Amino acid sequence: MDKNLKFEQAIKQLEEITSRMEENSIDIDRLLEDVKTANQLIKMCRKRLADADAEINEILEDINKDK
């Protein structure tokens, strides 16, 4: 997986995987690959969200110090 993948691109890929799964026409080998990819994408998105949350909190703390 591309470590430089943008958050929005990861979400788009997850939506595509979900659509394929909802069609019920996916073969077992493709399903397995999609589940593995989805797992990696979800982990990446969670980390990016946690990192963004931490950075935003730091910025807000810095702003509040100046009051």
Side-chain angles (χ1 to χ4, degrees), residues 49-63:
L49 287 171
D51 291 348
D53 184 55
E55 189 171 343
I56 289 167
N57 284 329
E58 285 179 26
I59 292 168
L60 292 175
E61 286 176 17
D62 188 50
I63 290 170

Side-chain angles (χ1 to χ4, degrees), residues 1-14:
M1 175 169 312
D2 182 8
K3 299 237 183 213
N4 296 320
L5 187 69
K6 295 196 178 290
F7 183 84
E8 292 79 13
Q9 293 170 319
I11 295 297
K12 183 169 175 33
Q13 284 186 26
L14 285 166

Side-chain angles (χ1 to χ4, degrees), residues 26-46:
I26 190 169
D27 70 53
I28 192 71
D29 294 322
R30 179 63 189 256
L31 175 63
L32 179 59
E33 285 304 312
D34 279 352
V35 169
K36 288 178 181 178
T37 300
N39 183 49
Q40 292 174 338
L41 290 167
I42 290 167
K43 285 180 181 179
M44 184 207 73
C45 288
R46 283 182 176 160

